[in-house]
C-alpha cells in the first residue's frame, strides 16, 4: 500500500508518516519499481499501535521504547502518565475556576482583569499580611468574585485574616450567604465553624433565619455560635442553647452576657430566662457545685421578680460561693431600687 492510501485509511498524514520514518518508528518494508514507499500489513498495524500509544499521552520517544524494547514494562510508565494527567487536570481546573471568577465580576477592561487576577493571587498568598490586605481591599477597591471570597473565608486559619474576610463578606451584601450556607454542610468541622461565624456577621434577616436553622444543627459548635449571634440579635429561640452553654462551661461568660442582653432588651423574656436557669440549678448532676455557681452568676444578670426571688432563696444556699454571690447581687438590687 502506498503512502497516500495509508494516510487516507489511517488518518495519519503523509507528512507525519515521513516524520515517523525519520525517527525510526516505522519504515515501509518495500519500494515500488518507481521507488515509492510501500507499506505492508505489519507496517500498517505498527502505525495503529503508535497512534494508540500516543492517545495515552506517550511521547514519540516513549512510544519507540514501548514497541521496540523487549524489557520494557508499562506499569511504571502508566503510573507516571496518571500522575502527569492529574497534574494537568488540576492546573486546567484551577485556570477554569480563575477565568470563571473573573468573568463573574464583569470586568470593563483589561485593567480590571489584571487587578482581579492580582487580588485573587493575593488571597492565595502564603503571607497572612498579603491575604489580609486583599480581603480589606476587596470591598473598597477591586471587587472580588464572591465564590473566591467565601472559599478564602472557609479555609483561612489565621485569626486576623479570617476576621478581615468575614468583615468583607458582611460588607458585600447577601450574595455570599447561600455559599456560606453550603459551608454549614461541610464534612470538615473547622469549615462548618468558619461558615457559621461568617454568617453571624451578616446583618440582615436572611442571615438571622439561617442562624435560627443552625440552632438545630448536628454540630454542637455550630449551634453554640448561632445561639450567641441570635442572642445578640434579641432572638429568644437561642435561650435554651445559651443556658446549656452556661451549664457546660462552653464559652459560658459570653453566653451569660447574651442571656443578660436578651432579658434586658426584651422584658418578656426575662422570666423565661430566669425560669430556665432556676430549673437547671435544681439538677443534682456530676459537677453540680461549679455548675450551680455559674448558673447563679448568670441569674444575677437577669432583671425581674422571678430572678430576685430565686436569688433570695440562693442567699441561704449550702454552697457558700452560691450564697455569697446571691447575697451580693440582692444588695446591689436593693440599693438600685432605692
Amino acid at each position: 500500500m502506498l503512502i497516500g492510501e495509508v494516510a487516507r485509511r489511517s488518518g495519519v498524514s503523509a507528512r507525519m508518516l515521513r516524520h515517523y520514518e525519520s525517527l525510526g518508528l516505522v519504515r515501509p518494508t518495500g519500494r515500488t519499481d518507481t521507488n515509492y514507499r510501500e507499506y505492508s500489513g505489519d507496517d500498517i498495524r505498527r502505525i495503529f499501535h503508535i497512534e494508540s500509544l500516543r492517545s495515552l499521552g506517550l511521547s514519540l520517544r516513549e512510544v519507540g521504547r514501548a514497541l521496540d524494547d523487549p524489557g520494557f514494562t508499562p506499569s511504571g510508565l502508566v503510573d507516571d502518565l496518571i500522575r502527569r494527567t492529574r497534574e494537568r487536570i488540576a492546573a486546567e481546573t484551577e485556570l477554569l475556576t480563575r477565568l470563571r471568577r473573573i468573568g463573574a465580576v464583569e470586568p470593563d477592561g483589561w485593567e480590571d482583569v489584571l487587578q482581579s487576577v492580582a487580588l485573587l493571587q493575593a488571597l492565595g498568598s502564603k503571607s497572612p499580611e498579603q491575604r489580609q490586605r486583599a480581603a480589606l481591599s476587596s470591598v473598597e477597591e477591586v471587587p472580588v468574585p464572591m465564590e473566591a471570597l467565601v472559599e478564602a473565608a472557609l479555609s483561612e486559619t489565621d485569626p486576623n485574616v479570617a476576621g478581615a474576610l468575614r468583615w468583607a463578606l458582611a460588607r458585600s451584601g447577601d450574595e455570599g450567604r447561600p455559599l456560606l450556607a453550603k459551608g454549614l454542610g461541610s464534612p470538615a468541622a473547622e469549615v462548618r465553624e468558619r461558615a457559621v461565624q461568617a454568617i453571624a456577621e451578616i446583618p440582615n434577616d436572611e442571615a438571622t433565619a439561617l442562624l435560627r436553622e443552625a440552632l438545630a444543627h448536628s454540630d454542637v459548635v455550630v449551634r453554640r455560635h448561632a445561639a450567641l449571634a441570635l442572642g445578640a440579635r434579641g432572638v429568644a429561640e437561642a435561650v435554651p442553647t445559651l443556658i446549656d452553654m452556661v451549664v457546660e462551661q462552653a464559652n459560658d461568660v459570653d453566653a451569660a452576657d447574651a442571656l443578660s442582653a436578651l432579658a434586658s432588651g426584651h422584658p418578656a423574656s426575662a422570666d423565661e430566662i430566669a425560669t430556665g436557669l432556676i430549673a437547671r440549678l435544681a439538677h443534682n448532676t456530676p459537677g453540680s457545685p461549679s455548675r450551680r455557681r455559674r448558673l447563679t452568676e448568670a441569674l444575677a444578670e437577669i432583671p425581674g421578680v422571678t430572678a430576685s426571688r430565686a436569688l433570695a432563696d440562693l442567699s441561704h444556699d449550702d454552697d457558700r460561693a452560691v450564697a455569697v454571690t446571691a447575697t451580693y447581687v440582692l444588695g446591689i438590687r436593693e440599693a438600685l431600687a432605692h
Side-chain angles (χ1 to χ4, degrees), residues 177-191:
R177 180 183 52 80
L179 296 171
L180 290 169
K182 290 183 180 179
L184 292 176
S186 170
E190 61 273 17
V191 172

Side-chain angles (χ1 to χ4, degrees), residues 56-93:
L56 298 178
L58 274 70
S59 68
L60 290 177
R61 177 178 295 180
E62 290 167 336
V63 168
R65 284 185 54 216
L67 293 176
D68 298 330
D69 183 355
F72 178 80
T73 54
S75 57
L77 180 57
V78 169
D79 289 342
D80 186 57
L81 287 169
I82 291 172
R83 177 188 58 79
R84 281 155 40 188
T85 302
R86 284 175 174 165
E87 290 175 353
R88 186 172 64 254
I89 290 172
E92 293 291 334
T93 302

Side-chain angles (χ1 to χ4, degrees), residues 18-31:
R18 294 188 187 98
H19 181 55
Y20 288 170
E21 184 179 348
S22 69
L23 295 176
L25 284 174
V26 58
R27 293 187 178 90
T29 53
R31 291 274 178 170

Side-chain angles (χ1 to χ4, degrees), residues 151-162:
E151 182 180 290
L154 296 183
S155 61
E156 184 56 62
T157 57
D158 184 282
N160 295 323
V161 182

Side-chain angles (χ1 to χ4, degrees), residues 126-138:
K126 292 183 179 180
S127 165
E129 292 78 11
Q130 286 192 33
R131 296 198 303 275
Q132 186 172 22
R133 283 197 296 271
L136 295 174
S137 65
S138 67

Side-chain angles (χ1 to χ4, degrees), residues 73-120:
T73 54
S75 57
L77 180 57
V78 169
D79 289 342
D80 186 57
L81 287 169
I82 291 172
R83 177 188 58 79
R84 281 155 40 188
T85 302
R86 284 175 174 165
E87 290 175 353
R88 186 172 64 254
I89 290 172
E92 293 291 334
T93 302
E94 182 180 352
L95 175 60
L96 176 61
T97 299
R98 183 176 301 176
L99 289 169
R100 185 162 46 81
R101 289 175 175 176
I102 291 172
V105 301
E106 299 180 350
D108 293 328
W110 283 112
E111 186 63 29
D112 291 345
V113 172
L114 293 173
Q115 288 179 326
S116 295
V117 170
L119 204 52
L120 288 171

